[in-house]
Amino acid sequence: MADLVQAEPAELRYGCRGPVREKAPSGAEERFRGLLEAAPDAMVIVDDRGTVRLVNAQTEALFGYRREELLGHPVDLLLPHRFRDQHIAHRGGYTANRQVRPMGAGLELLGLRKDGTEFPVEISLSPLETADGLLVSAAVRDVSDRKAAEARINELAALVESSQDAILAHTLDGYVTYWNAAAQRLYGYTADEAIGRHVSLLAPPELRGEVRALLRRLRRGRKVEHFETLRVTSTGALLDVDVTLWPTRDTHGAVVGACAIVRDISDRKRAQAELTELYEQQRHIALTLQRSLMGTPPALPGLPTASRYRPATQGAGVGGDWFDLVPLAAGRVGVLIGDVMGRGLEAAAVMGQLRSAAHALAKTGMQPRQLMRALDTCVADLDVPDQLVTCCYLVITPDTGTVTICSAGHLPVLVAGAGKGVRALDCPVNMPLGVGDVPFAQARAKIPAGATLVLYTDGLIETPGSDIELRIGELTLLLQELFADPPCLEKAADRVLAGLLPDPESHNDDVTLLLAQLPAA
């Protein structure tokens, strides 16, 4: 290297002090220049007066100056104005204590481009002893990207540390490597106490197997989101927590560890439990009210029946469904089924009033169309805005098999069995009750001996996204199968519910089903 340094001045004197003499560059000079240009950093060589003697192409690219704009000029040209006075003092200090070292250790160093923009730099200084005196080589590196990344990392670290959720990191074997302040507040362990210990420390003994299963999942690179479980604090208290885990990867994509966000949901769980208990209490009260309003239909000689009622599994569970069997004169039977639109206690209260009114009106022996007209007036008098009710009333003479029917917007009554398959009972469909001031028409039909009348509410066949005609078709096919041979009505009712409502805990409306069988011949 000594020959390179000794050979340098002639070329340097030519570049910055004028043509003292000319001579062809030696091989050592060419090698020195080649090394300088090949350096990955901007290289600036200055003399003891701070004058630029030599620069490389990287310096031109970094600062935006052409080489001839720098050679022979003060190196302060590359510094922000506010630092130039300080730099003169620092340069003198380096001359007195020349050694290879970073410039401005512990300080934020900035460079100044030709266009006036400033940027962060790192500078390494090296002394060069030459025949012309001391030269200083400065390797300048733009660290803008690294500083931006560091700032982003610091920002994210501050966010993580200030998070209200516990955040921790651990190895694939489960040993804690990071523990934020919220984790300390949640679990009671300080970072010093937690880091290096296994995450199974945080699980009750009976859930240690769960921790092992989660670690296996993470090792396979799979994320775990919003996993609700129990964890234990340093004092032994149990916590309901929501845990999200995800694998961390190295630059090659290999899974090297995992991070966890843990949120205390104990308050939410307690509130949910209280709400569930309150809901069950309200549901019990509402169902008791509805059953008391519906009453228990009497057993009628000559007309076997089977009925089922299922409350909705959503909301309070109560609704506006009802049915009634009313003994009439001359051995006739009045059969009522209805559905008040809406759910909840208001619908149940309306149902109770209409059922009582319909029962009393039916006992007078009036025709079905007259009963419907009277009920329509009752609905109007309830002073419930936009209240609509579907209802169907049949007067059955079991001995003769005649049925007089009037329907106010209700679903069709089906006739099953007696060797005739399953069909809908012919009946004009009138407007629902509550529309007001509309006529109601009735029809009379002959029912075969031994046939069964099937009455139901929309909760049996309406499901979200389904076509009601298709669902009635499904009910018809099921009834054809059940009534191919005379069945037990109770078993048939259970089979209908099981076939149309396979999940008894997932129906949004209350359900009423009534089977009434005429005497066999």
Side-chain angles (χ1 to χ4, degrees):
M1 188 68 183
D3 59 338
L4 299 181
V5 174
Q6 292 297 324
E8 182 185 357
E11 178 68 15
L12 296 179
R13 284 196 299 274
Y14 181 82
C16 62
R17 296 178 183 173
V20 176
R21 67 180 182 275
E22 296 184 12
K23 71 173 184 176
S26 68
E29 291 177 54
E30 291 293 342
R31 288 196 301 274
F32 182 82
R33 176 180 289 177
L35 289 172
L36 196 67
E37 293 297 333
D41 297 325
M43 301 298 297
V44 180
I45 297 177
V46 300
D47 60 20
D48 54 0
R49 293 173 296 177
T51 302
V52 177
R53 301 283 298 277
L54 193 64
V55 297
N56 64 356
Q58 285 82 352
T59 303
E60 295 179 281
L62 181 60
F63 288 94
Y65 289 98
R66 296 191 308 276
R67 195 173 304 222
E68 54 268 25
E69 293 178 291
L70 294 174
L71 297 178
H73 291 277
V75 72
D76 294 348
L77 188 68
L78 305 178
L79 301 177
H81 292 278
R82 61 187 180 280
F83 297 134
R84 290 177 182 179
D85 291 342
Q86 301 174 40
H87 180 251
I88 295 173
H90 289 310
R91 192 172 67 238
Y94 185 78
T95 302
N97 184 22
R98 59 190 73 173
Q99 58 180 322
V100 177
R101 64 171 175 82
M103 176 179 173
L107 301 176
E108 292 289 332
L109 302 182
L110 296 172
L112 179 66
R113 293 190 177 95
K114 182 179 179 180
D115 63 9
T117 58
E118 298 181 3
F119 61 101
V121 295
E122 282 185 350
I123 302 175
S124 294
L125 301 176
S126 299
L128 298 173
E129 297 291 347
T130 72
D132 285 355
L134 175 68
L135 297 177
V136 178
S137 171
V140 184
R141 177 171 297 176
D142 182 358
V143 292
S144 298
D145 291 342
R146 194 187 76 195
K147 289 291 185 180
E150 288 175 353
R152 181 60 178 160
I153 290 171
N154 291 335
E155 179 184 349
L156 291 174
L159 288 173
V160 168
E161 193 60 29
S162 63
S163 170
Q164 296 302 305
D165 293 329
I167 299 177
L168 56 130
H170 57 78
T171 66
L172 290 178
D173 293 330
Y175 291 94
V176 177
T177 57
Y178 175 77
W179 186 264
N180 76 344
Q184 177 174 337
R185 292 193 298 270
L186 180 64
Y187 291 109
Y189 296 101
T190 66
D192 289 340
E193 292 171 329
I195 291 175
R197 301 184 71 176
H198 200 271
V199 291
S200 59
L201 167 76
L202 309 175
E206 64 273 15
L207 294 180
R208 301 285 168 80
E210 174 188 281
V211 173
R212 291 191 292 271
L214 292 173
L215 289 174
R216 286 194 297 270
R217 187 181 178 100
L218 290 167
R219 282 194 287 270
R220 293 194 295 269
R222 299 175 65 184
K223 187 176 180 180
V224 179
E225 294 190 80
H226 299 298
F227 178 70
E228 294 188 3
T229 185
L230 284 175
R231 288 295 178 257
V232 64
T233 70
S234 61
T235 62
L238 291 177
L239 295 173
D240 285 295
V241 295
D242 177 296
V243 181
T244 293
L245 302 159
W246 68 96
T248 55
R249 302 174 185 272
D250 62 15
T251 55
H252 303 291
V255 178
V256 294
C259 287
I261 296 179
V262 185
R263 177 170 295 178
D264 184 358
I265 56 172
S266 301
D267 291 342
R268 192 189 81 191
K269 286 289 188 178
R270 281 192 293 270
Q272 286 177 342
E274 291 172 359
L275 286 174
T276 299
E277 182 180 358
L278 179 60
Y279 164 78
E280 290 300 329
Q281 291 174 354
Q282 291 177 337
R283 179 180 170 87
H284 176 72
I285 293 170
L287 290 177
T288 301
L289 170 63
Q290 184 161 31
R291 290 191 174 106
S292 68
L293 293 172
M294 289 183 66
T296 302
L300 301 174
L303 189 69
T305 61
S307 62
R308 296 290 184 271
Y309 174 76
R310 295 289 182 270
T313 58
Q314 305 296 321
V318 296
D321 284 10
W322 92 88
F323 73 94
D324 199 3
L325 301 173
V326 185
L328 302 175
R332 296 175 304 152
V333 177
V335 178
L336 277 157
I337 189 166
D339 185 0
V340 176
M341 300 299 181
R343 281 186 289 171
L345 292 177
E346 184 177 58
V350 172
M351 176 273 294
Q353 295 178 71
L354 291 181
R355 183 180 183 277
S356 298
H359 186 93
L361 292 169
K363 292 294 284 185
T364 67
M366 65 172 53
Q367 290 292 312
R369 66 172 181 271
Q370 295 172 320
L371 183 141
M372 288 299 176
R373 186 61 182 268
L375 284 182
D376 187 51
T377 302
C378 290
V379 173
D381 291 341
L382 290 174
D383 196 26
V384 178
D386 301 321
Q387 180 67 72
L388 294 178
V389 180
T390 67
C391 184
C392 186
Y393 179 47
L394 301 85
V395 175
I396 304 171
T397 306
D399 293 343
T400 63
T402 58
V403 174
T404 305
I405 178 172
C406 183
S407 173
H410 203 76
L411 295 164
V413 176
L414 301 179
V415 181
K420 303 292 185 180
V422 179
R423 63 181 176 86
L425 187 61
D426 290 333
C427 171
V429 179
N430 303 289
M431 297 297 289
L433 304 177
V435 173
D437 198 26
V438 294
F440 290 92
Q442 65 184 33
R444 191 179 182 88
K446 182 76 173 178
I447 305 300
T452 299
L453 296 168
V454 182
L455 296 88
Y456 50 95
T457 57
D458 57 2
L460 180 67
I461 58 171
E462 284 190 357
T463 55
S466 67
D467 183 281
I468 193 167
E469 295 297 334
L470 293 177
R471 291 285 289 170
I472 291 176
E474 292 177 23
L475 174 59
T476 299
L477 292 175
L478 180 56
L479 292 172
Q480 286 175 347
E481 178 184 342
L482 293 176
F483 285 87
D485 296 313
C488 165
L489 290 186
E490 296 293 338
K491 291 182 179 179
D494 289 336
R495 290 279 302 278
V496 169
L497 289 186
L500 273 295
L501 301 172
D503 184 357
E505 298 302 320
S506 181
H507 52 94
N508 297 330
D509 199 1
D510 51 346
V511 177
T512 298
L513 173 67
L514 174 64
L515 306 179
Q517 189 175 56
L518 273 66

